[in-house]
């Protein structure tokens, strides 16, 4: 049974939800608007300032869709109310980050700089505190899009396990490996 799917979603103040006839859910809040097409089998209803997601049968497919759409709608409500934020740090000698508007320029130890264009719905901020690693901060209302962009930036220079160099999330723990041991005597 989908315990996540059965849990109703509470709507914070200032957030409105509209369900169209074609099962398209639109969530409006102080930070923006998000829409999601929901499978026709799953029904979405707004009652008493809560979103309730129900499924028609107990089949495995309906159970999985039930939990999925409840989670997606919950992420939308949180996004338009509070927003999402991801912070990446660049660990490595000479690694730099700067931005001109929505273009992120990364220097990650390659022979060339990497220019990464971000979607308009994500706000970008780069900073280089003295004596610390450069930081890239992504903010927006769409959790899926922010996660996707952050993963793409991380994949430009994956963290290696020997020195720990690369792009990582702030606070991410990297498993380190011991290097080569001294030669035989």
């Amino acid at each position: 049974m989908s315990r996540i799917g059965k849990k109703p979603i509470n709507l914070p103040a200032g957030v409105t939800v509209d369900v169209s006839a074609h099962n398209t859910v639109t969530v409006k809040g102080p930070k923006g608007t998000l829409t999601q097409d929901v499978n026709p089998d799953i029904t979405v209803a707004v009652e008493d300032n809560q979103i309730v997601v129900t499924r028609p049968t107990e089949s495995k497919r309906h159970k999985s869709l039930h939990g999925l759409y409840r989670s997606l709608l919950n992420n939308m409500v949180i996004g338009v109310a509070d927003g999402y934020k991801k912070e990446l740090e660049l660990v490595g000698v000479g690694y730099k980050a700067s931005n001109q508007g929505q273009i992120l320029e990364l220097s990650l130890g390659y022979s060339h700089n990497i220019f990464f264009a971000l979607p308009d719905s994500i706000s970008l901020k780069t900073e280089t505190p003295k004596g610390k690693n450069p930081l890239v901060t992504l903010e927006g209302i769409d959790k899926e899009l922010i996660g996707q962009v952050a993963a793409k930036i991380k994949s430009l220079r994956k963290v290696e396990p020997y020195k720990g160099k690369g792009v990582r999330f702030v606070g991410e723990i990297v498993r380190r490996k011991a290097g080569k041991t001294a030669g035989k005597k």
Side-chain angles (χ1 to χ4, degrees):
M1 79 184 169
S2 175
R3 293 199 177 112
I4 292 172
K6 287 182 177 177
K7 199 173 170 191
I9 303 164
N10 292 319
L11 294 176
V15 176
T16 58
V17 177
D18 182 46
V19 183
S20 73
H22 301 292
N23 240 14
T24 301
V25 179
T26 306
V27 181
K28 290 183 183 139
K31 294 212 175 230
T33 305
L34 290 171
T35 58
Q36 174 70 48
D37 290 327
V38 179
N39 190 298
D41 294 343
I42 305 296
T43 53
V44 179
V46 181
E47 337 171 320
D48 306 332
N49 218 22
Q50 288 184 331
I51 302 174
V52 180
V53 183
T54 52
R55 63 178 179 251
T57 66
E58 293 294 316
S59 72
K60 188 168 179 139
R61 182 173 172 277
H62 286 155
K63 284 181 181 181
S64 61
L65 289 175
H66 190 207
L68 167 77
Y69 284 117
R70 193 266 178 203
S71 292
L72 290 176
L73 294 175
N74 189 44
N75 290 342
M76 289 166 62
V77 168
I78 293 169
V80 297
D82 305 324
Y84 288 101
K85 181 178 176 180
K86 292 249 185 205
E87 285 186 306
L88 298 154
E89 66 178 333
L90 283 58
V91 180
V93 177
Y95 287 10
K96 294 187 200 94
S98 63
N99 68 307
Q100 263 94 39
Q102 289 297 95
I103 307 282
L104 173 65
E105 183 181 353
L106 297 168
S107 175
L108 298 174
Y110 296 114
S111 60
H112 56 283
N113 288 352
I114 298 166
F115 293 92
F116 191 87
L118 279 99
D120 292 331
S121 60
I122 293 179
S123 68
L124 169 69
K125 192 174 85 183
T126 57
E127 58 181 312
T128 310
K130 192 165 177 74
K132 292 191 176 152
N133 296 320
L135 293 173
V136 177
T137 307
L138 305 171
E139 288 186 57
I141 59 172
D142 191 347
K143 185 176 187 179
E144 182 182 358
L145 185 62
I146 285 209
Q148 199 171 9
V149 169
K152 182 68 180 161
I153 293 170
K154 264 185 77 166
S155 73
L156 297 173
R157 178 63 94 175
K158 292 189 174 110
V159 179
E160 55 94 28
Y162 297 103
K163 289 187 178 176
K165 290 165 48 174
V167 181
R168 64 172 86 161
F169 292 115
V170 172
E172 181 181 350
I173 297 165
V174 177
R175 285 192 62 190
R176 301 290 294 272
K177 289 183 179 177
K180 288 192 275 187
T181 54
K184 292 181 181 173
K185 294 181 182 179

